[in-house]
Amino acid sequence: MASIFDILGPVMVGPSSSHTAGAVRIGLIGRQLLGRQPEKARIYLHGSFAATGEGHGTDRAIVAGLLGMKPDDMRIPDSFKIAKKEKCDFTIQKKEIRGAHPNTVQMILEAGDASLDIQACSIGGGRIVVSKLDGIDVNFNAESNTLIVHNQDQPGHVAQVANILSQKNINIATMQLFRDKRGGYAVMVIETDQIIPDSAISWLENLDGIIKVTFLNVSGAEEE
């Protein structure tokens, strides 16, 4: 059954929910996963994003998201100028990505010693799917509170993460595990019903074999 959101679409600035609202969300999620505003951004547009993205404002929408704007921000058309003022250096190119959704963008983001290679697509109605993180195939929509743990593929990490969440009374809604190879680089994507406190994030970051931990607070609520 279709919801009102499916029928009306998101509140947004721009002509297309896929090419504009979804593109803003991709940029915004990239910023959140990096943990700060990018200082450098290499943006690669694929498929219809590459073919019609300039006319739909996809390029400006992605940069707007990287600057922290949301789909209804009236500053989106001026995002290029704002990026220059805020010293966010970006390049935008077209790229053919094999097997990717037509509305796909790859972003390589840098800020200080932090970096992120993210690939995501806009699937309509302002919704997105993240399909790659730092070269690892993943699959999540960033619509729920989401814990993302980058780690070495070693025994015990999943149990340690689940244990700390249990201690903090955090309920796991879904858990997905991804890796490039046995014993290689792995990513956990865990959707939760509650906000994960900073103390739990810090504890996870200090575990042996943990490379990076990010939490997407999609609900916007404050931790208790």
Side-chain angles (χ1 to χ4, degrees):
M1 181 178 294
S3 68
I4 293 296
F5 182 88
D6 295 321
I7 296 169
L8 297 179
V11 177
M12 53 171 273
V13 173
S16 168
S17 62
S18 294
H19 286 70
T20 312
V24 173
R25 285 205 66 225
I26 290 174
L28 185 58
I29 292 302
R31 173 194 174 101
Q32 292 174 327
L33 290 176
L34 183 65
R36 67 192 82 169
Q37 180 169 296
E39 296 169 359
K40 295 182 180 179
R42 284 177 283 166
I43 302 167
Y44 300 96
L45 303 179
H46 163 80
S48 62
F49 264 13
T52 65
E54 186 174 352
H56 282 118
T58 303
D59 47 3
R60 287 173 172 77
I62 293 170
V63 172
L66 292 175
L67 296 174
M69 299 182 200
K70 296 182 179 180
D72 61 350
D73 198 307
M74 298 301 294
R75 300 173 297 164
I76 290 173
D78 298 320
S79 64
F80 287 1
K81 294 180 180 179
I82 296 172
K84 291 181 180 179
K85 291 180 180 179
E86 297 193 10
K87 298 182 179 180
C88 176
D89 184 26
F90 65 90
T91 60
I92 300 175
Q93 301 178 40
K94 297 179 181 180
K95 180 180 181 179
E96 184 67 25
I97 303 175
R98 176 179 290 185
H101 186 281
N103 298 334
T104 291
V105 59
Q106 178 189 8
M107 301 182 297
I108 300 176
L109 310 176
E110 299 177 22
D113 59 355
S115 64
L116 177 71
D117 186 342
I118 177 174
Q119 180 177 309
C121 63
S122 176
I123 60 174
R127 293 186 172 90
I128 70 169
V129 172
V130 179
S131 54
K132 280 185 180 289
L133 283 178
D134 294 327
I136 302 292
D137 290 327
V138 297
N139 182 16
F140 66 97
N141 57 27
E143 293 179 6
S144 302
N145 296 319
T146 306
L147 176 69
I148 301 169
V149 180
H150 300 246
N151 61 282
Q152 296 296 326
D153 183 38
Q154 299 170 350
H157 281 145
V158 173
Q160 288 175 317
V161 172
N163 181 55
I164 188 62
L165 294 183
S166 175
Q167 290 181 25
K168 299 296 183 179
N169 293 317
I170 304 296
N171 189 54
I172 296 175
T174 67
M175 175 183 284
Q176 300 181 77
L177 307 176
F178 308 92
R179 65 182 183 182
D180 58 358
K181 62 182 179 181
R182 183 175 181 178
Y185 188 88
V187 176
M188 299 181 220
V189 178
I190 304 169
E191 294 180 330
T192 65
D193 293 333
Q194 294 83 21
I195 304 301
I196 299 178
D198 290 340
S199 59
I201 301 297
S202 297
W203 187 85
L204 291 173
E205 289 175 332
N206 290 312
L207 290 175
D208 289 339
I210 299 298
I211 300 168
K212 180 169 59 174
V213 181
T214 308
F215 180 63
L216 294 177
N217 181 353
V218 179
S219 68
E222 298 292 334
E223 71 172 76
E224 298 180 357

